[in-house]
Amino acid sequence: MNRSNNSLKFSGWMSIIGGILLGAAHSIDYFASQETLSGKGIVFLAHIVLVFAFFGIHAAQADKNRVLGTLGLILGVIGSMIVTAIIFVEMASVTGVQTKQVLTASLNGPIQSYGPLLFVLGMILVSLSILRNKVLSYWGAALLLVGTVIFALGTIAGSGELLITMIGSIFKGIGFIVLGYQIGLTATHQQDNSASLN
């Protein structure tokens, strides 16, 4: 039980850290008026950390996840890992390395197109799962959902892309922070219950 509680607490912290990193990264790019190496580096770290957050959300909802929550976990984790690979290549391009052939190769083209889409779908499904199950924060899930939709709209916002993605990231970031805090509380509550039974 202690190991399970420690895993939940760790996932809660990862959710909080991931949320902070998401909001910070896109804010840096917005205020720099362009995509920056530091912004991309922070997004890269955020997506690595958020893999643990997805598992924490799934564990906190336990047997209530069903198909919606489990599919959201799978798509979110796979999408997040693909996004980290794409961002890694983009970080190299920001420093002046020629990466066009890597991103446009026949195998990588579909990955670059569908990887972020998997992450977005995973986020939406996880948010809907939280809203339906009523185990974790309604407001955390609502912020995740709204932030994800706003962020996705940024890709078609043209000159307003940096602003829209920053707003979406801040909403998502706050959502992850709220959920991470609650996951930590859930772990503490379970630990207290376990101690009182012993």
Side-chain angles (χ1 to χ4, degrees):
M1 182 65 86
N2 274 344
R3 180 177 289 182
S4 174
N5 286 333
N6 288 337
S7 295
L8 260 185
K9 283 180 181 177
F10 176 77
S11 297
W13 276 110
M14 292 300 100
S15 185
I16 291 168
I17 292 167
I20 292 168
L21 291 175
L22 273 182
H26 292 287
S27 297
I28 288 170
D29 285 351
Y30 173 72
F31 289 110
S33 300
Q34 62 181 353
E35 291 185 336
T36 62
L37 181 58
S38 57
K40 286 196 174 294
I42 295 171
V43 172
F44 177 80
L45 290 174
H47 278 278
I48 292 172
V49 165
L50 289 177
V51 168
F52 298 100
F54 278 116
F55 281 107
I57 290 167
H58 193 267
Q61 295 191 115
D63 57 344
K64 292 193 174 183
N65 283 292
R66 297 179 192 159
V67 174
L68 193 64
T70 303
L71 187 58
L73 167 73
I74 293 167
L75 294 179
V77 168
I78 292 172
S80 201
M81 291 189 301
I82 292 172
V83 168
T84 57
I86 293 168
I87 292 170
F88 187 74
V89 174
E90 289 176 347
M91 285 167 63
S93 71
V94 170
T95 63
V97 176
Q98 296 299 315
T99 59
K100 187 175 181 182
Q101 288 181 333
V102 175
L103 294 174
T104 57
S106 58
L107 178 64
N108 296 343
I111 291 173
Q112 187 184 11
S113 299
Y114 297 116
L117 180 60
L118 291 178
F119 178 72
V120 167
L121 287 174
M123 290 280 290
I124 290 171
L125 293 178
V126 165
S127 301
L128 292 174
S129 169
I130 296 168
L131 290 171
R132 188 193 70 179
N133 295 336
K134 299 176 183 174
V135 173
L136 295 172
S137 168
Y138 171 89
W139 290 108
L143 287 165
L144 272 190
L145 184 60
V146 170
T148 300
V149 171
I150 292 172
F151 186 88
L153 291 174
T155 59
I156 57 170
S159 60
E161 180 178 358
L162 289 175
L163 176 61
I164 300 298
T165 55
M166 180 187 72
I167 293 169
S169 293
I170 289 171
F171 273 89
K172 281 195 298 184
I174 295 170
F176 274 117
I177 291 167
V178 170
L179 292 170
Y181 177 73
Q182 193 173 23
I183 290 168
L185 287 180
T186 300
T188 302
H189 181 67
Q190 287 178 0
Q191 194 168 13
D192 291 344
N193 285 345
S194 177
S196 64
L197 288 172
N198 293 332

